[in-house]
Amino acid sequence: MAGLPLSIMILPLAGTGACDKILPMGRRHTVAALAFECVSPFELSVACEVFGFDRSDLGVPWYRFMMVAVEGRPVKSEVGFEINTPYGLADLRRADTIVVPARYKGPPEHQAALHKALRAANRRGARIMSFCTGAFVLAEAGLLDGRRATTHWAHAEEFAAHFPTVKLDPGVLYVDEGDVLTSAGTAAGIDLCLHVVRNDFGADVANAVARRMVVPPHRDGGQAQYVDDPMPDGPGADLFGDTMAWLQQHLGESLTVEDLARRSAMSPRTFARRFRATTGTTPMQWVLRQRVLLAQRLLETSDEPVDRVAELAGFGSPAALRQHFNRMVRTSPTAYRRTFRQEEPVA
């Protein structure tokens, strides 16, 4: 068998099989991931892992999934094995979300067809997301003009030179512009996918998917792409870790950097520096994001009024909750609860 190419067959998951028996809330959302010559298999597999496996046991109508070949079939990956799929560019017309896993460097005629298909999908309201250098494809198609975006930090300088009209932020994990989303390197693609699942099905479902993948349930899109000291060590490391764990359990309390530093036996300045080196953000921004996540869970799973949710999540007032919730989730707490607590339709 030595020397024979390894081929992976992608069976038609969308629209057939046992998955279609689980339809508790109407038509399911179709996700299409693009496959093309020399595509990165890891980035492509991220989309397969999050969107492709049937997770309807989580109580939601899980996505239909297609792998779409750009140039025709089969597709040879960057590391040599082949991918066979029954879907081509014409099938993007059926996609509600399209994943661009990497930069496309194929023949110009196929590149033009790809850009045309992405623009058409964007016009009809499809959600388009990219991993790593896939942002180049979105920018080439004109989908990022005047918008915020990110890509892998190692390619940021080249991207900025080629696409000056794009508001590039090379330091963050991912950027959500609503219908167009971009992410940094490989792990950030996972973060973006979980962010999308969280927006579609809520925090509990996204956390369940993360647990099955054995990855962190949430890293904020504004977090740094890489951090200086991801694993605290040396004197005080245990105290610092204990403080981080304590924080998760006391989000409803009044918290200051001085209080947290005292718990870690550090000066406020040293604590803030260590915290940023470990998490990629400031203590208060981290706490704020965790409080919003807690508010999301309470809105999804409890009947507590919004005033009480604001109190339990540590915001102090409903106005503060609404302000930060709108900024991070892009909707009001009441509208969010309505979305995730609606009753299933009667057959």
Side-chain angles (χ1 to χ4, degrees):
M1 298 297 289
L4 294 178
L6 175 63
S7 180
I8 297 178
M9 175 64 76
I10 306 299
L11 297 176
L13 299 178
T16 62
C19 298
D20 283 347
K21 297 176 182 177
I22 310 294
L23 288 172
M25 289 190 289
R27 190 183 76 86
R28 291 192 296 168
H29 190 101
T30 298
V31 177
L34 299 181
F36 40 79
E37 289 296 310
C38 293
V39 69
S40 167
F42 193 100
E43 272 79 3
L44 194 57
S45 69
V46 167
C48 296
E49 174 69 29
V50 177
F51 301 118
F53 285 100
D54 176 26
R55 303 186 190 278
S56 51
D57 61 305
L58 295 177
V60 295
W62 202 250
Y63 308 94
R64 289 189 172 97
F65 183 78
M66 302 186 293
M67 189 174 292
V68 171
V70 172
E71 302 106 339
R73 297 148 300 228
V75 174
K76 182 176 287 187
S77 76
E78 187 178 37
V79 295
F81 63 77
E82 292 183 341
I83 303 169
N84 280 314
T85 172
Y87 305 109
L89 270 184
D91 293 296
L92 286 186
R93 291 193 295 265
R94 297 190 283 138
D96 302 296
T97 291
I98 299 171
V99 180
V100 183
R103 190 175 187 176
Y104 181 75
K105 298 180 180 180
E109 62 272 20
H110 291 300
Q111 187 174 46
L114 171 58
H115 293 166
K116 181 179 179 180
L118 291 176
R119 287 191 292 268
N122 180 252
R123 284 194 299 270
R124 65 175 171 77
R127 179 172 56 192
I128 303 176
M129 52 194 290
S130 68
F131 302 156
C132 198
T133 55
F136 281 80
V137 178
L138 273 56
E140 289 161 354
L143 301 182
L144 297 178
D145 291 345
R147 295 185 171 204
R148 285 184 67 238
T150 193
T151 189
H152 193 288
W153 61 267
H155 300 276
E157 186 175 344
E158 179 189 2
F159 186 97
H162 280 82
F163 308 108
T165 61
V166 180
K167 300 173 184 177
L168 181 67
D169 189 344
V172 299
L173 294 177
Y174 57 85
V175 172
D176 181 351
E177 286 285 284
D179 58 334
V180 178
L181 306 89
T182 53
S183 64
T186 299
I190 299 175
D191 295 319
L192 179 57
C193 288
L194 291 175
H195 168 75
V196 166
V197 172
R198 183 175 294 103
N199 286 344
D200 290 346
F201 297 125
D204 282 353
V205 172
N207 291 346
V209 175
R211 282 194 298 272
R212 294 182 182 187
M213 295 175 63
V214 197
V215 297
H218 179 79
R219 291 199 298 170
D220 185 50
Q223 185 170 321
Q225 286 194 22
Y226 56 89
V227 295
D228 299 323
D229 184 19
M231 293 297 293
D233 55 12
D238 290 342
L239 280 173
F240 183 82
D242 290 346
T243 299
M244 293 284 287
W246 182 87
L247 259 175
Q248 290 276 12
Q249 304 300 321
H250 295 79
L251 293 170
E253 300 179 13
S254 177
L255 301 169
T256 66
V257 174
E258 288 74 17
D259 295 335
L260 300 176
R262 195 177 303 114
R263 290 188 64 87
S264 300
M266 300 178 186
S267 70
R269 186 171 181 177
T270 299
F271 177 82
R273 185 172 63 249
R274 171 66 70 83
F275 196 98
R276 191 174 189 91
T278 302
T279 67
T281 189
T282 66
M284 290 301 100
Q285 284 300 314
W286 187 89
V287 168
L288 187 60
R289 183 58 194 166
Q290 297 303 310
R291 283 173 169 165
V292 169
L293 287 171
L294 175 56
Q296 286 180 270
R297 291 194 295 272
L298 291 170
L299 290 167
E300 293 169 23
T301 61
S302 79
D303 295 317
E304 297 286 359
V306 171
D307 290 17
R308 179 60 175 159
V309 169
E311 179 184 345
L312 292 172
F315 283 101
S317 71
L321 168 63
R322 293 187 187 96
Q323 175 190 348
H324 295 295
F325 202 92
N326 269 286
R327 181 170 61 85
M328 294 187 182
V329 189
R330 298 187 179 183
T331 189
S332 69
T334 301
Y336 184 87
R337 166 171 276 168
R338 190 181 303 122
T339 299
F340 287 102
R341 299 296 301 278
Q342 60 185 341
E343 295 182 0
E344 296 180 7
V346 178

